[in-house]
Amino acid sequence: MQPQRQPQTSPAVQTGAVQTGAVQTGAVHTGAVHTGVVHTSAVPLPGFTDPVADAQQAFRLALQAMAAPGRVHTLEPTCAVPAGFAPALTALLLTLADTDTPLWLPPDSSAQALAFVRFHCASPLVDLPLAARFVAVPAGARAPALTDLDAGQPDYPDRSATLILEVESLEQGQAVTLRGPGIRDTQTLRAAVPEGFWREWRHNHARFPLGVDLFLTCGARFCALPRTAIVEE
């Protein structure tokens, strides 16, 4: 998983499943500030109000989430939220996706969401999840199987996919116990993931050092599970 690359930025320094480094330094969009408001037109909507500060804040939270699997964070972005997306999912895409990270979105994604990511992220949109570095699944869309995503190669396990999955709740799903690096003893997570997802995750973990990393989002809240996270039901 990589941060968004932009001009006039410092070199990237890899930290765990996330790479620190560049954030956007372009001009700030003018006009009204939209915070967590869903819009419906097909015209590209405003990105971060303060591209540098907002992207840095979101990236720090993403790093913290990967470093402490299962711990829930709140991310209230100062950007517009296109139809079908949610605030945390939108902010993570703005922060992490760029021209070097192919992106997969569900085929029925709104025209506004497609215009938003094309304009602000400039990520190549791909038809197959296996070809994507980021796979974003908004609420109500069907997530591809983890085995259908790029798990990396033995020589380059870091060149794998990251799944950003919107769920209905991070507190009202089946309780699972997390163990592994970044977790002191255990961490309980109650995310409302699709049926059979944790079974897929155990298979994903077994492929380490290969595997997929995960962000679970719900509105403005999110948590992360790197491939090192052990899930016990």
Side-chain angles (χ1 to χ4, degrees):
M1 184 174 58
Q2 298 175 329
Q4 191 180 68
R5 295 183 182 177
Q6 300 293 341
Q8 302 177 1
T9 53
S10 59
V13 180
Q14 186 170 356
T15 305
V18 185
Q19 291 183 346
T20 61
V23 293
Q24 186 172 350
T25 58
V28 177
H29 291 280
T30 59
V33 175
H34 303 276
T35 306
V37 178
V38 176
H39 299 262
T40 56
S41 71
V43 177
L45 301 170
F48 287 134
T49 302
D50 186 332
V52 175
D54 294 345
Q56 287 177 339
Q57 179 185 23
F59 193 65
R60 282 194 297 268
L61 284 175
L63 284 173
Q64 292 172 16
M66 279 290 176
R71 184 177 300 173
V72 177
H73 300 261
T74 299
L75 179 54
E76 293 280 5
T78 60
C79 62
V81 178
F85 279 15
L89 183 148
T90 302
L92 288 171
L93 284 179
L94 281 178
T95 303
L96 301 173
D98 64 14
T99 56
D100 294 330
T101 56
L103 171 66
W104 183 88
L105 293 172
D108 59 352
S109 296
S110 69
Q112 188 179 77
L114 295 174
F116 185 87
V117 298
R118 286 192 181 107
F119 184 79
H120 292 290
C121 304
S123 296
L125 295 176
V126 295
D127 295 330
L128 297 177
L130 183 61
R133 186 63 58 86
F134 287 101
V135 174
V137 183
R142 183 175 180 178
L146 294 182
T147 52
D148 290 337
L149 307 185
D150 188 356
Q153 300 296 325
D155 291 340
Y156 301 100
D158 57 314
R159 298 180 184 177
S160 60
T162 296
L163 172 63
I164 306 174
L165 176 63
E166 180 80 8
V167 296
E168 292 184 359
S169 174
L170 292 173
E171 291 87 17
Q172 298 179 5
Q174 174 190 355
V176 295
T177 300
L178 308 180
R179 302 179 187 273
I183 301 172
R184 178 176 293 181
D185 298 325
T186 63
Q187 172 76 39
T188 300
L189 179 63
R190 298 179 180 272
V193 297
E195 183 177 357
F197 183 83
W198 294 129
R199 181 173 60 252
E200 291 186 43
W201 183 262
R202 287 193 293 273
H203 176 71
N204 179 68
H205 171 75
R207 294 187 290 176
F208 184 82
L210 305 183
V212 173
D213 299 312
L214 171 69
F215 285 106
L216 293 173
T217 64
C218 180
R221 308 181 73 208
F222 77 102
C223 67
L225 272 74
R227 69 197 72 178
T228 55
I230 301 168
V231 174
E232 300 172 350
E233 296 184 69

